[in-house]
């Protein structure tokens, strides 16, 4: 006969007795030959010699009890489990509530026993020390200052940052919607009973095995996300921007391989490629100096300065060629100058008066609805096509309603510069869109 730990302190956590279906209290009996599900009996049914299907009264048995000391005399295994559960429920240091929940020990006894056996125990302290040394040695040679396992931020629910983190809940280490979120649905209706046939039981066990594999895949994906710091999206993006553009493209391509290596190894891999890119660029620069006959860095600085001056001259010649190409077309030349000159630049026309350059209509909404004369008007008065069409429709409606339109009425109708209003009014009169009152 062996003395083994029970399922827990709560009788509702244990299966009922197979004989009388009552809740089991320690000590109780477990058949050592029936399985795989445990065949449990209370002491009354065991003394009556209860038999059921394959179970016989002469089978070997085990007495299930927690009434024996584990760490020190005076504390049974059941009390040890009750102490751990009470500390978990009430919190460390709240010894008054812990003792009230245990009911068999005082506040001082709970505190001294827990501190002696679970906090200051030499066995546990040596284990923690070895784990700390292993962790320090693992990160001692890390050249990456970024720590991928930092605690992620804790945004409020349904905020922008929460949506960026895919609904991650740091306090629970879960997502609002997990990978393979409905895996449990295939398992919710499965129930193991004693009357199941061997084939049906094997099918149910296969479904459970499939569910376990799906859970493992879910945990593996969460571990990759956590270890590589992918939850904190903004920090991850800031880390990625520190690389050159070519390395950023490599970073994006190689991200899929992060699942097969650790975060430090993956970052070292990217850092090594970034270093290779810098070395290749430096080698090309030195080869260019050698090809130009430069033998000192002082001469290289002069060469770079002269190279920039040559590139500036080349851009100016290219701009001049574009101007000469369109010099025969006046409107195209004006449009080109409008693109080339800075915003707000004022030039002098043939009358000696200064005016703003024509408006460039390329890409503006509503340009395709204008004819050539309307486009020229919008360029001259510097009016976007959408506003012109709106003013034109308003003037047409007013002219149609009154049978004619005066300049003063037009100025009262559209509140813009009076000179622009006059040019639009004269243009519409000349084109026949409206008539004078």
């Amino acid at each position: 006969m062996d003395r083994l730990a029970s399922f827990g302190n709560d009788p509702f956590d244990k299966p009922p007795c197979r004989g009388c279906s009552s809740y089991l209290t320690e000590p109780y009996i477990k058949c050592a030959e029936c399985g795989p599900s445990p065949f449990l009996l209370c002491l009354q049914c065991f003394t009556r010699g209860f038999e059921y299907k394959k179970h016989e009264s002469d089978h070997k048995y085990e007495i299930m009890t927690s009434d024996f000391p584990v760490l020190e005399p005076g504390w049974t295994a059941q009390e040890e489990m009750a102490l751990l559960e009470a500390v978990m429920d009430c919190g460390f240091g709240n010894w008054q509530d812990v003792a009230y929940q245990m009911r068999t020990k005082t506040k001082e006894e709970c505190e001294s026993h827990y501190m002696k056996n679970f906090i200051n125990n030499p066995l546990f302290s040596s284990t923690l020390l070895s784990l700390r040394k292993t962790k320090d040695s693992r990160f001692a040679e890390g050249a990456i200052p970024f720590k991928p396992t930092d605690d992620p931020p804790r945004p409020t629910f349904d905020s922008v940052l929460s949506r960026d983190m895919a609904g991650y809940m740091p306090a629970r280490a879960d997502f609002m919607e997990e990978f393979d979120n409905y895996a449990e649905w295939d398992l919710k209706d499965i129930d193991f009973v004693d009357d199941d046939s061997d084939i049906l039981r094997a099918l149910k066990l296969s479904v459970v095995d499939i569910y376990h594999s799906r859970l493992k895949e879910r945990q593996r994906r969460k571990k990759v996300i956590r270890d590589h710091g992918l939850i904190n999206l903004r920090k991850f993006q800031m880390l990625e921007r520190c690389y050159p553009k070519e390395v950023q493209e490599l970073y994006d391509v190689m991200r899929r391989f992060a699942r097969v290596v650790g975060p430090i190894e993956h970052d070292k891999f990217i850092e090594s490629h970034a270093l290779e890119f810098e070395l290749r660029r430096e080698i090309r620069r030195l080869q260019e100096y050698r090809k130009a006959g430069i033998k000192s860095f002082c001469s290289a600085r002069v060469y770079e300065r002269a190279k920039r001056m040559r590139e500036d001259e080349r851009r100016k010649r290219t701009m001049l060629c574009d101007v000469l190409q369109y010099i025969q077309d006046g409107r195209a030349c004006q449009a080109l100058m409008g693109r080339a000159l800075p915003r707000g630049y004022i030039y002098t026309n043939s009358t000696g008066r200064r005016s703003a350059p024509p408006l460039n209509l390329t890409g503006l909404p509503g340009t395709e609805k204008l004819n050539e004369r309307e486009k020229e008007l919008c360029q001259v008065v510097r009016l976007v096509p959408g506003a012109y069409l709106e003013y034109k429709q308003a003037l047409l409606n007013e002219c149609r309603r009154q049978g004619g339109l005066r300049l003063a009425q037009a100025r009262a109708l559209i509140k813009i510069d009076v000179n622009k209003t006059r040019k639009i009014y004269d243009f519409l009169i000349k084109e026949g869109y409206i008539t004078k009152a």
Side-chain angles (χ1 to χ4, degrees), residues 170-190:
R172 296 177 53 183
D174 290 330
F175 292 89
M176 291 292 295
E177 184 173 349
E178 297 282 355
F179 170 77
D180 200 359
N181 199 44
Y182 300 99
E184 289 76 11
W185 283 26
D186 298 334
L187 199 68
K188 62 184 179 66
D189 296 329
I190 293 181

Side-chain angles (χ1 to χ4, degrees), residues 81-111:
M81 291 187 293
L83 175 62
L84 295 178
E85 291 179 359
V87 172
M88 185 180 300
D89 294 340
C90 303
F92 176 77
N94 196 2
W95 303 114
Q96 186 68 38
D97 293 343
V98 171
Y100 178 79
Q101 182 169 329
M102 287 196 59
R103 297 182 182 276
T104 59
K105 300 293 181 181
T106 63
K107 168 185 173 182
E108 291 76 12
E109 289 175 339
C110 293
E111 181 179 5

Side-chain angles (χ1 to χ4, degrees), residues 30-203:
K30 175 185 177 183
C31 180
E33 299 184 14
C34 297
S37 59
F39 192 90
L40 307 179
L41 291 174
C42 64
L43 294 180
Q44 291 76 11
C45 294
F46 176 73
T47 55
R48 291 199 306 265
F50 177 79
E51 295 183 349
Y52 179 75
K53 290 187 177 181
K54 298 180 180 180
H55 175 71
E56 298 180 0
S57 58
D58 59 349
H59 281 181
K60 297 180 180 180
Y61 62 91
E62 300 171 351
I63 298 178
M64 307 296 291
T65 180
S66 300
D67 190 17
F68 57 91
V70 178
L71 298 177
E72 64 179 26
W75 282 78
T76 63
Q78 185 175 2
E79 289 175 334
E80 297 285 357
M81 291 187 293
L83 175 62
L84 295 178
E85 291 179 359
V87 172
M88 185 180 300
D89 294 340
C90 303
F92 176 77
N94 196 2
W95 303 114
Q96 186 68 38
D97 293 343
V98 171
Y100 178 79
Q101 182 169 329
M102 287 196 59
R103 297 182 182 276
T104 59
K105 300 293 181 181
T106 63
K107 168 185 173 182
E108 291 76 12
E109 289 175 339
C110 293
E111 181 179 5
S112 61
H113 182 78
Y114 191 87
M115 297 298 294
K116 174 183 176 182
N117 294 281
F118 296 100
I119 301 299
N120 300 324
N121 193 324
L123 175 62
F124 296 156
S125 62
S126 61
T127 304
L128 293 175
L129 182 61
S130 61
L131 289 176
R132 189 179 298 110
K133 289 181 178 179
T134 303
K135 181 179 179 181
D136 294 341
S137 62
R138 181 176 25 165
F139 290 101
E141 60 179 3
I144 311 301
F146 173 68
K147 296 180 180 179
T149 56
D150 286 346
D151 287 335
R154 299 178 181 238
T156 58
F157 176 73
D158 202 23
S159 61
V160 177
L161 183 55
S162 176
R163 290 193 292 270
D164 289 343
M165 294 169 61
Y168 182 73
M169 297 175 288
R172 296 177 53 183
D174 290 330
F175 292 89
M176 291 292 295
E177 184 173 349
E178 297 282 355
F179 170 77
D180 200 359
N181 199 44
Y182 300 99
E184 289 76 11
W185 283 26
D186 298 334
L187 199 68
K188 62 184 179 66
D189 296 329
I190 293 181
D191 186 19
F192 289 89
V193 295
D194 296 330
D195 298 333
D196 289 342
S197 63
D198 295 339
I199 297 179
L200 182 58
R201 179 177 291 272
L203 288 175

Side-chain angles (χ1 to χ4, degrees), residues 108-326:
E108 291 76 12
E109 289 175 339
C110 293
E111 181 179 5
S112 61
H113 182 78
Y114 191 87
M115 297 298 294
K116 174 183 176 182
N117 294 281
F118 296 100
I119 301 299
N120 300 324
N121 193 324
L123 175 62
F124 296 156
S125 62
S126 61
T127 304
L128 293 175
L129 182 61
S130 61
L131 289 176
R132 189 179 298 110
K133 289 181 178 179
T134 303
K135 181 179 179 181
D136 294 341
S137 62
R138 181 176 25 165
F139 290 101
E141 60 179 3
I144 311 301
F146 173 68
K147 296 180 180 179
T149 56
D150 286 346
D151 287 335
R154 299 178 181 238
T156 58
F157 176 73
D158 202 23
S159 61
V160 177
L161 183 55
S162 176
R163 290 193 292 270
D164 289 343
M165 294 169 61
Y168 182 73
M169 297 175 288
R172 296 177 53 183
D174 290 330
F175 292 89
M176 291 292 295
E177 184 173 349
E178 297 282 355
F179 170 77
D180 200 359
N181 199 44
Y182 300 99
E184 289 76 11
W185 283 26
D186 298 334
L187 199 68
K188 62 184 179 66
D189 296 329
I190 293 181
D191 186 19
F192 289 89
V193 295
D194 296 330
D195 298 333
D196 289 342
S197 63
D198 295 339
I199 297 179
L200 182 58
R201 179 177 291 272
L203 288 175
K204 291 181 178 180
L205 292 176
S206 299
V207 173
V208 174
D209 291 338
I210 294 173
Y211 172 69
H212 285 167
S213 64
R214 297 166 75 177
L215 283 184
K216 290 179 180 178
E217 177 63 19
R218 179 187 296 174
Q219 293 299 324
R220 187 190 69 82
R221 289 173 178 262
K222 290 170 66 175
K223 185 177 184 299
V224 170
I225 294 174
R226 175 68 176 173
D227 292 345
H228 289 266
L230 303 180
I231 298 174
N232 194 343
L233 181 62
R234 296 182 180 178
K235 187 172 183 179
F236 181 77
Q237 291 175 345
M238 290 176 60
L239 176 67
E240 189 176 358
R241 291 194 195 102
C242 68
Y243 297 116
K245 182 180 179 181
E246 294 79 1
V247 181
Q248 290 182 14
E249 296 176 356
L250 175 68
Y251 202 109
D252 185 64
V253 173
M254 300 303 295
R255 187 179 298 149
R256 66 193 68 180
F257 297 103
R259 66 185 70 179
V260 298
V261 295
I264 302 298
E265 290 79 5
H266 183 69
D267 286 348
K268 286 183 177 180
F269 175 76
I270 299 298
E271 288 284 347
S272 62
H273 279 75
L275 179 60
E276 178 188 3
F277 171 77
E278 293 293 336
L279 291 176
R280 288 181 179 273
R281 185 169 61 181
E282 183 67 17
I283 290 173
R284 287 195 298 268
R285 189 169 68 92
L286 295 176
Q287 289 176 346
E288 182 183 0
Y289 292 162
R290 166 105 26 119
K291 186 177 180 180
I294 299 174
K295 299 181 180 180
S296 64
F297 285 105
C298 181
S299 302
R301 287 192 293 269
V302 177
Y303 172 77
E304 291 290 343
R305 187 161 55 249
K307 181 180 177 182
R308 288 193 297 268
M309 293 175 61
R310 287 196 301 269
E311 291 177 353
D312 293 340
E313 291 294 334
R314 188 180 297 111
R315 283 196 299 268
K316 291 179 181 178
R317 287 197 299 268
T318 303
M319 184 183 299
L320 181 60
C321 292
D322 292 339
V323 174
L324 294 176
Q325 180 180 357
Y326 294 102

